[in-house]
Amino acid sequence: MPRLKTVPKDIIRERRTKLHIKACEGELVLPHAVREMRTAIAMTQVDFAHHFGLTRKQVIELENGRANPTLNTLSKLCRPFGFKVGFVFLGKPPRW
């Protein structure tokens, strides 16, 4: 698999900032989040998998929405980006 071109640190910083903005606005959802995190730091699927102790197949399945990741796996992926796994409220509270 070909290597990605080296991306300057300021570009990576900008991509990470955009990622955080999307998360704050509720627009960052699995499976797109994994792909966006990986591309934000300019890693191939192989490099990303190796860095986080996964296989390339696991990364592909995560990015395509076919995986059922454990809480531990999601936490490993999210922590370096300043995220944590949790429940996110998407609407108005129910009326009991």
Side-chain angles (χ1 to χ4, degrees):
M1 173 163 280
R3 295 288 228 191
L4 293 179
K5 293 181 181 179
T6 303
V7 178
K9 288 184 180 184
D10 59 325
I11 300 292
I12 290 176
R13 193 174 307 114
E14 181 182 318
R15 289 177 181 174
R16 288 178 67 124
T17 299
K18 287 180 182 178
L19 191 66
H20 289 139
I21 291 169
K22 286 179 92 170
C24 289
E25 293 174 349
E27 297 176 6
L28 190 63
V29 295
L30 280 173
H32 307 292
V34 175
R35 179 175 288 127
E36 290 190 41
M37 288 188 294
R38 180 179 61 78
T39 57
I41 56 176
M43 282 190 165
T44 64
Q45 289 174 331
V46 172
D47 292 338
F48 191 81
H50 180 72
H51 183 78
F52 288 102
L54 304 171
T55 65
R56 181 172 178 257
K57 182 178 179 182
Q58 286 175 302
V59 173
I60 290 169
E61 289 176 351
L62 283 165
E63 290 183 356
N64 290 326
R66 292 189 310 258
N68 188 12
T70 64
L71 180 59
N72 185 43
T73 298
L74 290 175
S75 295
K76 273 197 296 189
L77 296 175
C78 294
R79 196 172 303 117
F81 292 91
F83 299 132
K84 69 178 184 176
V85 179
F87 293 100
V88 178
F89 185 65
L90 298 175
K92 295 181 181 179
R95 293 186 177 204
W96 301 101

